[in-house]
Amino acid sequence: MFGNIENGAGERLDYSFHEGSADSRDIVVIGHGVTGNKDRPFVIALAEGLSSVGINALRFSFAGNGDSDGRFVDATISKEVEDLGSVLEMLQGYRVAYVGHSMGGAVGVLRASRDKHIGLLVSLAGMVHTQAFADREFGDVQPGNGFMWEDEDCPLSQQYIDDMAQIDSVVEIGAKIAVPWLLVHGSQDDVVPLQDTSDIIARAALGADLVVLDGANHVFSDHSDQMVQVVVEWMQRQFNS
């Protein structure tokens, strides 16, 4: 529907569009987490859930992930912030919401803090303390020689580690979010601790909403339906307000 979407480096970003209401100018953009892509089951479920109630949805893979162009080793938070900007450029005339999972959540905070095109923001198990995450998950992996979670398709790069250290945390940036914001986190998330979301919402604007899904893990494996319901109902309220 939107033709080719390319980032600033000329890399094509793979996306799928789920039409809601044909005459609607509301759209939800969905970004994934580190080592993920647009075709994760819960990402597809969310896009389909939004479409089923008449809300347009666009899920995409950041450069270097899934079927998008680019190299995985170049996929840092900072680069993905620019990728998201390239997607938003294609959506002029739409009222845009962005939903980001995990690292894609940090991407959303950074982009929404300076891009007025994002009118609604959702963080799903959003990464907050980036340096601490890299130390915790990959501290024993040598950049350039090892892999993220022993996945040979996901080599750990020095630029990824450096970017995580430079950002360090998005808590203070989260305080600059001036749009309605929903944060959803599972109580049993062992990848991004629930405490991350607690830390950022403590500094967030008064309009931020927090939903904790009891028993849910990082990718909402057995709680996908609940997550989708929470996000869809929140979007309906916001778009209709």
Side-chain angles (χ1 to χ4, degrees), residues 145-201:
N145 291 305
F147 307 94
M148 294 182 177
W149 298 303
E150 301 182 349
D151 185 344
E152 294 187 1
D153 291 327
C154 302
L156 181 67
S157 68
Q158 187 63 53
Q159 63 196 86
Y160 176 86
I161 293 298
D162 292 345
D163 192 64
M164 298 290 269
Q166 182 176 7
I167 294 169
D168 184 41
S169 174
V170 297
V171 165
E172 295 305 318
I173 295 171
K176 300 178 182 178
I177 302 299
V179 299
W181 186 7
L182 171 67
L183 301 98
V184 182
H185 214 120
S187 66
Q188 299 302 309
D189 190 334
D190 62 356
V191 178
V192 175
L194 175 58
Q195 186 62 47
D196 274 32
T197 288
S198 298
D199 290 346
I200 200 167
I201 202 167

Side-chain angles (χ1 to χ4, degrees), residues 41-43 45-46 219-229:
F42 69 94
V43 174
L46 178 55
V219 294
F220 308 100
S221 300
D222 298 320
H223 297 78
S224 179
D225 290 347
Q226 290 175 258
M227 179 274 289
V228 170
Q229 181 178 359

Side-chain angles (χ1 to χ4, degrees), residues 1-5 12-30 38-39 43-44 46-52 54-61 87 90-97 239:
M1 177 176 181
F2 301 103
N4 284 340
I5 300 179
R12 180 190 57 82
L13 301 178
D14 182 43
Y15 71 91
S16 295
F17 176 68
H18 299 251
E19 185 175 57
S21 173
D23 59 353
S24 173
R25 303 303 289 178
D26 297 331
I27 191 167
V28 178
V29 176
I30 307 172
K38 71 177 182 63
D39 296 324
V43 174
I44 295 173
L46 178 55
E48 291 177 342
L50 290 162
S51 176
S52 72
I55 300 173
N56 298 308
L58 185 154
R59 53 187 170 89
F60 78 102
S61 294
V87 174
M90 300 297 293
L91 302 177
Q92 299 297 328
Y94 280 87
R95 185 165 53 159
V96 178
F239 280 133

